[in-house]
Amino acid sequence: MNNNPAYNVANWIDDCICSCMNQDMNLGDEFEIIVVNDGSSDDTMEHLITYGNNIIIVEQSNAGVSAARNNGLKCAKGEYIWFIDGDDYIEPNVIYNKVYNYRVRRDSAMQSRNSLAHTRWLDSMLLMHESYMDIWVNHLGEISEKEKVYLQERINWSSANLLLGAMRLGKVKRTDILQYLESINCYPYPFLVGRISYKYGLKI
């Protein structure tokens, strides 16, 4: 699933959506495109409606990218999520070639519970997250406002990867990661609180 927050991106949203559609997977059956119109005041919405049933449109008053992503997640049907900004684009066939092969395919690192590659990947993600948090806690006054926004995005991104990665681990490692996220109040998707078991992973 592609989740695209959109705020006043009329000049770019067509490139974004078309790039998401330009994949060698079956749109509607194998993946979906959700676009959250974050209270745009330009003609972003007029562009969105031209795609008809090819995309799912979620409308909200302007509340920022985090709220837009969470609202998009609430109506998502897929198991895996990819956030894409409305003024960005992705490469042709990247969902299958990179995301599917890495995360979804049965013998990929993300799918194999006992995979050494997955454990190493998650450990590196944890180190990355800890380094971001160190800057946020101890050096925030030393960076610009633009860098703060970027840093927050990286914290959210790495938190989400840790959370999704932890679901595929055994109880001990999963517990360590979930407790770490909870201890620093960095749980990326509030609506999942209480739905993830330390012992069993995601509870549907």
Side-chain angles (χ1 to χ4, degrees):
M1 189 277 284
N2 302 100
N3 185 342
N4 303 9
Y7 176 70
N8 289 352
V9 288
N11 292 333
W12 306 280
I13 192 64
D14 290 313
D15 288 339
C16 178
I17 294 175
C18 288
S19 74
C20 293
M21 296 174 65
N22 189 20
Q23 306 297 318
D24 55 1
M25 299 180 71
N26 191 358
L27 178 60
D29 292 331
E30 296 181 294
F31 76 105
E32 61 187 350
I33 300 173
I34 299 174
V35 183
V36 182
N37 184 23
D38 187 28
S40 296
S41 57
D42 63 0
D43 59 347
T44 294
M45 190 62 185
E46 283 69 17
H47 287 256
L48 298 181
I49 61 178
T50 64
Y51 293 93
N53 294 329
N54 287 314
I55 66 173
I56 299 167
I57 302 173
V58 178
E59 291 193 76
Q60 67 176 39
S61 57
N62 183 244
V65 64
S66 295
R69 287 176 174 176
N70 282 327
N71 283 333
L73 280 169
K74 290 176 183 177
C75 65
K77 298 177 182 177
E79 182 179 1
Y80 297 90
I81 312 296
W82 188 353
F83 293 114
I84 303 169
D85 292 333
D87 58 355
D88 206 348
Y89 66 92
I90 60 177
E91 295 296 326
N93 305 325
V94 70
I95 295 178
Y96 182 85
N97 293 335
K98 300 292 180 65
V99 180
Y100 180 84
N101 276 329
Y102 181 63
R103 293 178 179 269
V104 184
R105 186 166 47 83
R106 184 173 296 277
D107 59 347
S108 70
M110 282 291 288
Q111 280 292 323
S112 177
R113 292 183 179 180
N114 300 316
S115 169
L116 179 60
H118 176 48
T119 301
R120 287 175 174 171
W121 173 84
L122 206 59
D123 285 343
S124 67
M125 187 62 61
L126 181 59
L127 288 173
M128 191 182 304
H129 190 278
E130 289 174 339
S131 69
Y132 292 148
M133 290 304 300
D134 176 66
I135 297 172
W136 186 264
V137 173
N138 299 312
H139 305 283
L140 197 61
E142 303 170 17
I143 61 178
S144 67
E145 291 302 315
K146 185 177 181 179
E147 290 171 326
K148 289 177 185 177
V149 172
Y150 177 75
L151 178 61
Q152 182 65 69
E153 291 175 350
R154 301 304 291 178
I155 290 173
N156 292 340
W157 170 79
S158 54
S159 297
N161 275 287
L162 284 172
L163 178 63
L164 296 175
M167 294 180 192
R168 307 244 171 227
L169 296 173
K171 176 184 175 181
V172 174
K173 187 71 173 180
R174 180 189 302 123
T175 299
D176 289 344
I177 290 178
L178 294 179
Q179 287 182 340
Y180 163 73
L181 291 173
E182 292 168 359
S183 70
I184 60 174
N185 195 28
C186 205
Y187 214 82
Y189 306 131
F191 75 95
L192 287 177
V193 172
R195 293 182 58 197
I196 297 181
S197 162
Y198 289 164
K199 185 174 181 181
Y200 299 109
L202 183 64
K203 297 183 292 183
I204 304 299

